Amino acid sequence: MSFGENLQTIRKKNQLSQEGLAEMLGVSRQAVSKWELGEGYPEVEKLMLLSKKLNISLDSLLGGENTTADPGEGKAPAGIRIVSPHEGVIIHASKVTRSQQFKGGKNSPKFALYASEGKDLSLWGAQNTFLAWYRNLEDVTREIAEIQAALDAGAASYTLQYSVKCRQNLFRTIEDD
């Protein structure tokens, strides 16, 4: 399939009109129509935004994968919905990683947890999304193990349990009320 055909198929699967997709991307409906008719292509930034908003790889958008297959056919999609209550992040992920240890004050978080779908959605590899802060290696390691166990068990979602709440843009821990 061509990019235009893929875009139209994906847009319809997501129950979006051309106007709705255009609004989501900050372009005109006519631009979306031209893309679907094969009369032009979006800028790279718009392609990446399309990929992120519609939860589809760039390969699929550009015609490198079959986008019409039902995800329920054959193999179940690997991934889990992760909810980060302190940070307000919700992501469908298949991979989680921790940061290196941060230096900071006595009560500052020492580790960050990131998630990705494990797909190369950009030129630089899989895009990581920040999930949460952790006080120590034990807590972040326990969280990763429990996420992996939930993935292995086929759970649909997992809510982070060991993360700490932080002030915006600061590494100081806010004590729970």
Side-chain angles (χ1 to χ4, degrees), residues 2-5 7-8 18 29-40:
S2 70
F3 167 76
E5 293 169 325
L7 179 61
Q8 184 175 28
Q18 286 183 341
R29 185 206 54 80
Q30 291 83 358
V32 173
S33 177
K34 284 182 180 180
W35 299 341
E36 289 183 356
L37 292 171
E39 296 175 2

Side-chain angles (χ1 to χ4, degrees), residues 106-151:
K106 179 178 148 187
N107 292 325
S108 297
K110 303 295 187 236
F111 295 92
L113 184 66
Y114 297 91
S116 70
E117 292 185 66
K119 298 178 187 175
D120 290 341
L121 297 178
S122 75
L123 300 173
W124 301 277
Q127 294 176 335
N128 288 324
T129 300
F130 169 78
L131 290 176
W133 294 110
Y134 293 83
R135 281 197 177 101
N136 54 53
L137 182 59
E138 180 181 294
D139 288 346
V140 72
T141 302
R142 187 175 347 155
E143 193 87 82
I144 291 170
E146 290 191 20
I147 292 169
Q148 187 59 52
L151 268 167

